[in-house]
Amino acid sequence: MIKKRIQGFITTLPAVENVPKVRIDGWTIAYQTELGGLNLKTSLDLLNPRNVSNDLLLNRRAKTQLSLDASYQMGAWTLGSNLQSLSKRYDDSKNTVELAAYTTADMYVNYQVNKDWAVKAKVNNLMDKAYETALGYNQAGRSYYLSLNYSPK
């Protein structure tokens, strides 16, 4: 169980604000395992991030966040995906401007050419979900990436 009591908490955007006392209570549950080349990771955060003086939620803090990651290794190839889901949150400290809940999914394939070089193809926001992490800041739709990575060993 997480129990944090913070004095002098400074928020960031949309406006910098000093919140005299903050209380964040909750749970984080995580699990990771490997099953014959299949790597699985999951994490669930259940939080109650509050401004103690008015009992309102802290801005841009989701009460629930779920993350799922899976990858499969086949020789030089790695196939993977991840899913992230956040509950609704508020963009402002008065809890009047709601940011909708959202879920995004990404997929990638990685080919390890040799010990130093790898090629990676990735699709972000596979479902082309329209969402905002902050009011007025729409996130990218479906995006494609191809990269060549050099990492000398």
Side-chain angles (χ1 to χ4, degrees), residues 52-63:
V52 173
S53 63
N54 59 17
D55 201 37
L56 293 174
L57 291 172
L58 296 176
N59 64 315
R60 298 187 183 162
R61 303 289 194 292
K63 290 181 80 171

Side-chain angles (χ1 to χ4, degrees), residues 53-134:
S53 63
N54 59 17
D55 201 37
L56 293 174
L57 291 172
L58 296 176
N59 64 315
R60 298 187 183 162
R61 303 289 194 292
K63 290 181 80 171
T64 305
Q65 182 171 330
L66 174 66
S67 176
L68 303 168
D69 294 294
S71 64
Y72 186 72
Q73 184 86 36
M74 299 177 300
W77 292 91
T78 303
L79 304 171
S81 65
N82 56 57
L83 183 85
Q84 184 174 20
S85 185
L86 276 80
S87 64
K88 75 173 187 177
R89 13 315 133 259
Y90 293 97
D91 192 59
D92 64 328
S93 59
K94 293 184 169 109
N95 291 181
T96 58
V97 180
E98 187 175 302
L99 296 170
Y102 68 89
T103 300
T104 61
D106 305 327
M107 293 185 76
Y108 66 90
V109 60
N110 188 60
Y111 179 70
Q112 192 69 42
V113 177
N114 60 37
K115 66 180 178 107
D116 297 333
W117 290 93
V119 177
K120 186 174 187 176
K122 185 174 185 178
V123 180
N124 282 351
N125 196 359
L126 186 65
M127 299 176 289
D128 201 22
K129 175 75 176 171
Y131 68 99
E132 295 175 313
T133 54

